[in-house]
Amino acid sequence: MISILFQGIGLIIIGSLYLLIRNLTGHNVISSVLTYLMISIPNLIQGLFYVRVYSFVDYMFLNNLNKDSTIVSIFVLLIVFVIIEMLLLYLNLNIVQEKDIYLE
């Protein structure tokens, strides 16, 4: 259940990040590429320098947990995810309020 919760919130964060970049640039392709790059940069660093870097996807699928992880560390991670989502929603709302939205 916890894994499903984190995956759901993670996908919502990725979608909000895409919408934020989409609202800033106005182009679907640019926002898709930038969102993908932001998510995959830790994997590129890990592949180039052979060091363990936890990416957003690792946190989303709880791959960063080890046998010493406690419920408190999972709860703190959940709070961080919620704060990130709230920040992205706030930024999206501020950007959308300044634009004139019309039906195409």
Side-chain angles (χ1 to χ4, degrees):
M1 292 301 281
I2 293 173
S3 178
I4 293 172
L5 177 69
F6 274 96
Q7 290 172 24
I9 293 174
L11 291 173
I12 291 171
I13 289 173
I14 292 171
S16 295
L17 180 65
Y18 169 81
L19 284 176
L20 178 68
I21 298 171
R22 169 70 172 91
N23 289 331
L24 288 173
T25 62
H27 298 285
N28 291 334
V29 175
I30 293 172
S31 57
S32 298
V33 170
L34 285 176
T35 302
Y36 177 76
L37 284 176
M38 291 177 81
I39 291 172
S40 63
I41 283 175
N43 291 334
L44 294 172
I45 292 171
Q46 182 175 338
L48 288 174
F49 300 112
Y50 301 107
V51 294
R52 182 66 183 147
V53 178
Y54 290 114
S55 66
F56 178 74
V57 177
D58 289 332
Y59 287 105
M60 191 170 108
F61 289 104
L62 299 176
N63 291 336
N64 63 327
L65 299 180
N66 55 19
K67 63 181 178 181
D68 299 327
S69 296
T70 62
I71 194 73
V72 174
S73 64
I74 296 172
F75 188 68
V76 168
L77 184 60
L78 180 65
I79 290 173
V80 169
F81 269 41
V82 170
I83 289 172
I84 291 171
E85 176 58 29
M86 289 173 52
L87 179 67
L88 286 171
L89 284 176
Y90 176 76
L91 291 173
N92 275 324
L93 286 175
N94 281 341
I95 291 171
V96 169
Q97 284 178 351
E98 296 174 2
K99 290 188 176 187
D100 184 23
I101 300 176
Y102 61 91
L103 295 175
E104 295 181 15

